């Protein structure tokens, strides 16, 4: 069915089970670090825009 095999559909249940199993999740610490890094992304353009102006004023 999906390629050469001993019989049509012989490996199909294993393929279906592999596709239906949940993907491994990130650990809580890694999710926290990823969220913190993603929260800092919008700050970068603001710093690029305002730091030179604040230096000029100061």
């Amino acid at each position: 069915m999906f390629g050469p095999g001993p019989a049509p559909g012989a490996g199909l249940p294993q393929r279906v089970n592999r596709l239906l199993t949940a993907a491994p999740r990130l650990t809580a610490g890694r999710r926290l670090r990823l969220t913190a890094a993603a929260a800092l992304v919008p700050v970068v353009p603001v710093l690029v825009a305002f730091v030179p102006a604040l230096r000029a004023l100061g």
Side-chain angles (χ1 to χ4, degrees), residues 28-41:
R30 181 164 277 192
R31 280 197 313 264
L32 182 63
R33 286 191 300 270
L34 188 62
T35 302
L40 291 177
V41 169

Side-chain angles (χ1 to χ4, degrees), residues 18-26:
R18 181 179 54 85
L19 291 172
L20 292 179
T21 55
R25 296 192 53 167
L26 296 174

Side-chain angles (χ1 to χ4, degrees), residues 2-28:
F2 294 112
L12 186 60
Q14 291 84 10
R15 289 188 180 108
V16 170
N17 289 337
R18 181 179 54 85
L19 291 172
L20 292 179
T21 55
R25 296 192 53 167
L26 296 174
T27 62

